[in-house]
Amino acid sequence: MRTRGRRARRGAAAIALSCAAAACAAQDVIEAGRFSAFRPGDALPPQWVPLTFRNIEARTRYSLAADAGVTVLKAESSRSASGLIRRFDDGSVALREYPILRWRWKVGGLVKGADIGSREGDDYPARVYVTFRYDPARAGIAMRAQYAIARSLYGEYPPHAGINYVWDGNAPAGTMRPNAYTARAMMFVVESGARRVGEWVEVERNVYEDYRRAFNEEPPPVSGIAVMTDTDQTGESVTAWYGDIELRRAR
């Protein structure tokens, strides 16, 4: 009886330790987009909402599709532009705690007319971007006035800044430059060219370090993570696929 009791206690302790380890592991990761948890053809995850733009009527089509037995997010763009965004409006995501952004993506082709330096070429077969919460206390007088006008028009403040990770057909990997429309969004080319078209590519970025390098300041809390496949400027067509997206603690 005593042996059985000791075994039971050891079993209970092992279960408790396993649960504690699982809880710790869960706290190490913020699952921004776990598309693989759904079935192909399901409705899009409710946390991911459309990101649309004024004066652009044609929108990219997003759906959950199967790829090698795994459910992923499929994007189909034909002279269109729109994205999906997972918002973190509560300011709970601090990059000092969760600096690592990890995802995988695949493109079916390139945007031949893409030009990272011009508005006319601001199209990409795939992009993942991070937005940062606007804080009036960190802004100058001119920026506060601009953001107040934007809030009156759109009902909310625009992001303080953004980082775009893109797959580009022309600019070499490692390129960093301001977006053609605003210097408050920085473009990082993390994959370039046709060499890996049709293949799944895994990407991991330290967003905290990228933000410091791009803007030379401490990053505000993350306000959203978005994906977008767009061809409205060039009038081309392209398809891309996005796998699960997560934020992780630094190792």
Side-chain angles (χ1 to χ4, degrees), residues 50-105:
L51 180 64
T52 59
F53 307 95
R54 296 182 68 185
N55 303 322
I56 301 179
E57 296 183 2
R59 298 182 180 180
T60 301
R61 181 176 181 269
Y62 294 92
S63 61
L64 293 175
D67 187 286
V70 179
T71 302
V72 298
L73 181 68
K74 182 179 181 180
E76 299 168 279
S77 177
S78 180
R79 300 181 178 183
S80 60
S82 66
L84 293 176
I85 186 167
R86 166 74 188 274
R87 299 188 186 278
F88 297 96
D89 293 328
D90 59 358
S92 61
V93 181
L95 284 184
R96 277 189 172 274
E97 296 182 47
Y98 296 94
I100 306 300
L101 180 64
R102 181 183 295 174
W103 75 92
R104 66 188 189 110
W105 56 9

Side-chain angles (χ1 to χ4, degrees), residues 116-250:
I116 196 171
S118 73
R119 294 186 177 187
E120 294 77 13
D122 187 42
D123 283 345
Y124 304 94
R127 75 169 96 192
V128 172
Y129 60 98
V130 185
T131 61
F132 299 87
R133 189 173 64 177
Y134 171 68
D135 181 0
R138 300 178 61 153
I141 295 175
M143 180 179 285
R144 287 200 298 270
Q146 292 173 356
Y147 275 59
I149 293 172
R151 186 182 187 186
S152 68
L153 293 173
Y154 301 107
E156 62 181 1
Y157 286 123
H160 174 76
I163 287 181
N164 289 247
Y165 297 111
V166 301
W167 188 320
D168 189 59
N170 298 304
T175 299
M176 181 189 80
R177 64 171 299 155
N179 179 265
Y181 285 90
T182 173
R184 296 307 303 171
M186 193 65 68
M187 315 299 289
F188 285 81
V189 179
V190 296
E191 191 66 37
S192 178
R195 184 174 64 90
R196 304 185 74 178
V197 165
E199 299 179 11
W200 280 103
V201 178
E202 295 188 0
V203 184
E204 180 175 295
R205 300 292 302 193
N206 188 313
V207 186
Y208 177 82
E209 293 180 357
D210 286 343
Y211 186 96
R212 290 294 307 268
R213 186 155 66 98
F215 300 108
N216 195 32
E217 64 180 18
E218 282 292 306
V222 171
S223 61
I225 295 176
V227 300
M228 187 164 78
T229 294
D230 61 310
T231 57
D232 61 305
Q233 300 286 2
T234 58
E236 299 180 36
S237 298
V238 72
T239 302
W241 296 261
Y242 299 87
D244 291 354
I245 303 171
E246 62 185 26
L247 284 162
R248 303 182 67 93
R249 292 186 186 275

